Amino acid sequence: MTRGIVLLAHGSRDERWRQPIEAVAARVLADEPDARVACAYMELAEPDLPTAVATLVADGATAIRVVPLFLGMGKHAREDLPHQLDALRQRWPAIGFTLARIVGEEPELVDLLARIAVKS
Amino acid sequence: MTRGIVLLAHGSRDERWRQPIEAVAARVLADEPDARVACAYMELAEPDLPTAVATLVADGATAIRVVPLFLGMGKHAREDLPHQLDALRQRWPAIGFTLARIVGEEPELVDLLARIAVKS
């Protein structure tokens, strides 16, 4: 099994907006040099999720985890993302896809954000 | 000095979108019971930043830190937020205001997001 990880973020026309997302990708690669890692964006930036997944598959990934780097998730994304995953599974039936919960729902993240907020 | 902390997030019409932000606020209060804590939203949700600050001031805060809970920040917010802080300083000259960098630029957060992304 070759792991693929897609870091899925909202997106922005502004290149600097994407720097933290790309920093996370670089950090994942440093921690897991054998993983295939891609950033993807919901809107206003390239690539979108299917394009990022196609790149990872072409690069040999056989199990792909989509990690939504959202602090909050509204109804639209909550309903739309599982549909997008279904479409990916239909297009690449040999690939195992997993959709992680949004990072904002990780207790460790809530703890860290609180620590960042109170530090002087 | 009585600390006030504003957790500033993008905002959404969807109540569930705001839950992680409110979870961070609850966690800050658990860690710092004497602090005054408020959530505020850039758009699509109430209160906005000036309203949240007015609440904290009315509640006795004398030094207020605004913490942007954004993973990425585009040109608009990057230019607009310092102006918003200037307006707050003019309106409440006796209050010490600090604008934190966005949480997406905190190395600890990048590390944690990478760990969340690789966990299976």
Side-chain angles (χ1 to χ4, degrees):
Chain A
M1 185 199 82
T2 300
R3 295 184 77 184
I5 296 169
V6 180
L7 302 171
L8 179 66
H10 183 277
S12 163
R13 279 181 196 90
D14 191 319
E15 221 172 276
R16 203 165 143 187
W17 189 95
R18 303 194 294 271
Q19 284 177 3
I21 312 302
E22 289 163 2
V24 175
R27 183 61 199 240
V28 169
L29 271 177
D31 291 348
E32 304 259 318
D34 294 336
R36 310 293 193 263
V37 182
C39 301
Y41 301 95
M42 301 287 276
E43 59 186 60
L44 305 175
E46 299 286 329
D48 61 10
L49 179 57
T51 306
V53 164
T55 304
L56 296 183
V57 171
D59 207 25
T62 58
I64 295 181
R65 178 174 161 85
V66 177
V67 184
L69 294 189
F70 310 150
L71 295 183
M73 180 153 68
K75 192 164 180 283
H76 179 73
R78 202 157 55 236
E79 289 174 354
D80 185 53
L81 262 183
H83 289 305
Q84 288 202 41
L85 266 281
D86 287 344
L88 294 173
R89 289 186 183 104
Q90 286 197 339
R91 181 161 166 201
W92 287 286
I95 308 288
F97 285 99
T98 323
L99 176 60
R101 61 178 172 181
I102 64 166
V103 296
E105 285 172 359
E106 296 285 338
E108 266 189 295
L109 189 83
V110 171
D111 289 354
L112 177 58
L113 291 176
R115 285 205 305 279
I116 289 171
V118 301
K119 77 181 182 187
S120 43
Chain B
M1 185 198 80
T2 300
R3 295 185 77 184
I5 295 169
V6 181
L7 302 170
L8 179 65
H10 182 277
S12 163
R13 278 181 197 91
D14 191 320
E15 220 172 278
R16 204 165 141 188
W17 188 95
R18 303 194 294 271
Q19 284 177 4
I21 312 301
E22 289 162 2
V24 174
R27 182 62 199 239
V28 168
L29 270 176
D31 291 348
E32 302 260 318
D34 293 335
R36 310 295 192 261
V37 183
C39 301
Y41 300 95
M42 299 287 277
E43 58 185 61
L44 304 174
E46 297 287 329
D48 61 11
L49 179 56
T51 306
V53 164
T55 304
L56 295 184
V57 171
D59 207 24
T62 57
I64 295 181
R65 178 174 161 85
V66 177
V67 183
L69 294 188
F70 309 150
L71 295 183
M73 178 154 69
K75 191 164 180 284
H76 179 73
R78 204 158 53 236
E79 290 175 353
D80 185 53
L81 262 183
H83 289 306
Q84 289 201 40
L85 265 282
D86 286 344
L88 294 172
R89 289 186 183 106
Q90 287 198 337
R91 183 160 164 201
W92 287 287
I95 307 287
F97 286 98
T98 323
L99 176 59
R101 60 178 174 183
I102 63 167
V103 295
E105 286 172 358
E106 296 285 338
E108 266 190 294
L109 188 82
V110 171
D111 289 355
L112 178 58
L113 292 175
R115 286 204 305 279
I116 288 171
V118 301
K119 76 180 181 186
S120 43

